[in-house]
Amino acid sequence: MVREIRVLGPGCPRCEALYDNVVLALDELGIDATVEKVKDLGQIAAHGVMQTPGLVVDGRVVSQGKVLSVEEIKELLRSR
């Protein structure tokens, strides 16, 4: 099953760092996923995210306002 992951944020360095960590975590776990950067503030707000970066996995907001480490992301992906 291909997972859908979205990194929400305007493109700031913290958002880019989260995106990079997501890609690394997926690679290390060997998970097939679509990873999308969402920079549109309307779409970000529609997810209920008020602090960026936000992380959405399979339609569910799992983090906001924090740059998760590769290990934290791997744990989130394993538990879902």
Side-chain angles (χ1 to χ4, degrees):
M1 175 174 143
V2 177
R3 313 222 27 205
E4 291 185 12
I5 299 175
R6 292 179 165 189
V7 176
L8 312 177
C12 64
R14 289 170 41 89
C15 302
E16 295 300 324
L18 179 59
Y19 179 87
D20 292 343
N21 287 352
V22 166
V23 171
L24 282 170
L26 290 168
D27 186 51
E28 288 180 16
L29 291 174
I31 294 176
D32 187 21
T34 317
V35 183
E36 177 186 3
K37 292 180 186 179
V38 177
K39 296 181 179 182
D40 179 75
L41 295 179
Q43 288 185 40
I44 293 169
H47 281 287
V49 172
M50 297 299 147
Q51 294 181 328
T52 61
L55 182 62
V56 178
V57 177
D58 298 331
R60 183 171 161 252
V61 176
V62 295
S63 174
Q64 61 179 311
K66 181 179 177 187
V67 178
L68 298 174
S69 70
V70 173
E71 290 303 316
E72 288 173 314
I73 295 166
K74 285 166 56 175
E75 187 59 36
L76 277 172
L77 294 173
R78 281 190 203 110
S79 67
R80 293 202 28 94

